[in-house]
Amino acid sequence: MGGGILTKVELRNISNKYILRDVNLTIDDGQLLVLLGPTGSGKTTLLNVIAGIIDYEGNVLFDGKSVDDKPASKRGVGYVFQDLALFPHLDVASNIAYGMKVQKKPLSEIEKRVDELLKLMKIEHLKNRYPRDLSGGERQRVALARALAISPHILLLDEPLNNLDPLTRRYLRAEIRQMQKQLKVTTIFVTHDVDEAEEIGDKVAVLINGRLRQVGTPGEVFSSPVDDEVADLIGLQNVLICSSSRYIGGGLYEVDCKGTSIVVACEGSTISRIAIPAKEIYLYVDKPVSSKVNVYKGRILEVLSPSSSVVKIRVKVGENILLVELPKDLFDSLGLAVGEEAFVELKLKSIRVYP
């Protein structure tokens, strides 16, 4: 089943009076771009600019042609809002058909398209149900089908999986990715979830305080954040360069990071760098007896309390300096101070590997 027409999106010097500041961004035709940023960073506002439902300065181009003078109804954009906005008085089939009826499509065409989308989204059995009778995941599928019904040139997804449980979220994430590749519709997917961004995106754009801070593949952005704010957002403050790697069996490799040997799990062979989120590094006064790998003696260089609940500690391990984040009550219970020795543990499951 065909999707929309392949469309390239260009944003040139986009600003508005609320949050956005001089945003320049290109989304290639058929690409899935993840717009990643904290709450209040302007992600939804940027989608609304593309959709044409708020005022802005600058230019929005589809395939090199300005759409600035086109109203939202003429831009060929499918939009899944955070709250899904399904019509409670319409059944599933009628919700999906709504946009096509507004476009005054022939009834036979509408019925055919609805049946295609019910099958694509695997919700044929829900055809006659009402939104109140659907689970969160089912409502999400209906909202996606409704957005796709008009064969959009561009699909906008505003934190579409935000209110789902982790298992359903992970499952639907994979399905959205598969569907997008099948339909080849240019898609912008908004999230503040780093794992989601890394798993689903062809490209990731990081938006902080209304400004575009970094754009690249997930590997580029998550392994080489451009500044501390981006690093804090993606939780990868500790990026270590690996000079060598050696397979030790069982899917494990031993990598050398400035003379410190670290065991990592990896499916590849050559490992260029690893990253460990500051929140996932463990700190001890005494050497933990239960752990067999990745435990090191370090020295505390700095202790910062950026908030009443979190303490940031810089610890030197060999030639590497690691940033550790601990709840303040836990750090206080350890009784550690600058200049003292402590043991650092890097859990295998917490280490990101970049072949």
Side-chain angles (χ1 to χ4, degrees):
M1 182 185 74
I5 301 167
L6 287 178
T7 302
K8 180 179 181 179
V9 180
E10 294 173 84
L11 307 178
R12 295 181 181 173
N13 307 113
I14 297 295
S15 299
N16 78 334
K17 61 183 178 182
Y18 304 108
I19 180 73
L20 299 175
R21 296 291 178 269
D22 200 31
V23 174
N24 290 275
L25 179 63
T26 298
I27 304 104
D28 291 331
D29 50 14
Q31 189 173 62
L32 194 159
L33 176 127
V34 173
L35 194 57
L36 177 68
T39 301
S41 61
K43 303 186 299 297
T44 298
T45 302
L46 193 58
L47 290 194
N48 291 341
V49 165
I50 296 168
I53 57 180
I54 62 170
D55 293 331
Y56 59 90
E57 297 174 0
N59 302 105
V60 178
L61 297 92
F62 294 171
D63 284 336
K65 297 178 181 178
S66 171
V67 295
D68 298 321
D69 295 330
K70 284 190 176 184
S73 60
K74 301 294 185 182
R75 290 197 179 188
V77 171
Y79 201 148
V80 176
F81 298 90
Q82 282 189 40
D83 61 1
L84 304 185
L86 296 177
F87 300 113
H89 63 289
L90 298 180
D91 63 19
V92 166
S94 299
N95 261 286
I96 296 171
Y98 181 82
M100 291 182 288
K101 288 180 178 177
V102 170
Q103 293 176 335
K104 298 185 171 15
K105 300 283 187 184
L107 183 59
S108 59
E109 183 181 330
I110 291 173
E111 290 176 346
K112 180 182 178 184
R113 181 71 171 161
V114 168
D115 286 341
E116 286 178 341
L117 288 163
L118 288 167
K119 185 175 181 181
L120 175 71
M121 301 308 300
K122 301 175 184 174
I123 51 174
E124 295 159 287
H125 60 295
L126 304 176
K127 183 176 182 177
N128 299 314
R129 290 196 197 173
Y130 288 82
R132 64 177 178 272
D133 301 318
L134 304 177
S135 69
E138 289 168 345
R139 284 196 295 271
Q140 190 62 61
R141 291 171 189 270
V142 176
L144 275 167
R146 187 178 64 180
L148 291 167
I150 60 171
S151 298
H153 301 177
I154 298 143
L155 180 61
L156 307 178
L157 305 176
D158 191 5
E159 305 216 37
L161 310 179
N162 213 24
N163 298 317
L164 303 177
D165 64 87
L167 185 61
T168 303
R169 186 170 182 153
R170 193 158 54 245
Y171 186 74
L172 261 180
R173 192 157 70 204
E175 290 216 341
I176 288 173
R177 178 65 172 163
Q178 183 179 1
M179 173 210 71
Q180 191 269 339
K181 287 304 167 194
Q182 180 179 339
L183 299 181
K184 298 179 180 176
V185 59
T186 305
T187 300
I188 303 171
F189 184 109
V190 163
T191 186
H192 61 265
D193 185 304
V194 173
D195 291 334
E196 201 158 78
E198 186 170 20
E199 184 175 321
I200 206 170
D202 295 315
K203 187 188 284 187
V204 175
V206 180
L207 193 69
I208 299 175
N209 293 327
R211 295 186 182 275
L212 201 60
R213 304 296 288 274
Q214 187 170 0
V215 181
T217 65
E220 289 166 348
V221 172
F222 296 136
S223 65
S224 302
V226 293
D227 56 35
D228 289 343
E229 277 193 288
V230 176
D232 283 342
L233 173 67
I234 64 180
L236 296 182
Q237 298 91 336
N238 300 295
V239 179
L240 307 181
I241 305 301
C242 307
S243 58
S244 65
S245 59
R246 179 176 67 88
Y247 185 62
I248 57 176
L252 301 178
Y253 284 78
E254 185 178 60
V255 297
D256 184 283
C257 302
K258 291 185 179 179
T260 299
S261 295
I262 302 173
V263 175
V264 302
C266 180
E267 295 178 359
S269 54
T270 303
I271 300 166
S272 62
R273 55 173 65 89
I274 62 173
I276 312 105
K279 294 178 181 178
E280 296 180 30
I281 296 179
Y282 294 77
L283 206 59
Y284 304 93
V285 175
D286 300 310
K287 186 174 182 178
V289 293
S290 58
S291 302
K292 294 182 173 60
V293 297
N294 296 347
V295 175
Y296 312 92
K297 183 182 286 188
R299 185 173 298 277
I300 296 176
L301 300 180
E302 187 178 21
V303 176
L304 300 170
S305 296
S307 72
S308 59
S309 60
V310 176
V311 175
K312 294 188 175 185
I313 311 106
R314 294 195 185 277
V315 185
K316 187 170 185 181
V317 175
E319 295 302 312
N320 299 288
I321 296 176
L322 301 178
L323 179 67
V324 182
E325 284 188 17
L326 293 179
K328 190 174 187 307
D329 55 353
L330 175 57
F331 179 77
D332 289 343
S333 70
L334 293 173
L336 292 169
V338 172
E340 294 184 345
E341 289 186 343
F343 287 92
V344 174
E345 181 182 8
L346 311 179
K347 296 281 190 182
L348 266 174
K349 65 179 181 180
S350 301
I351 301 174
R352 295 174 184 260
V353 175
Y354 297 93

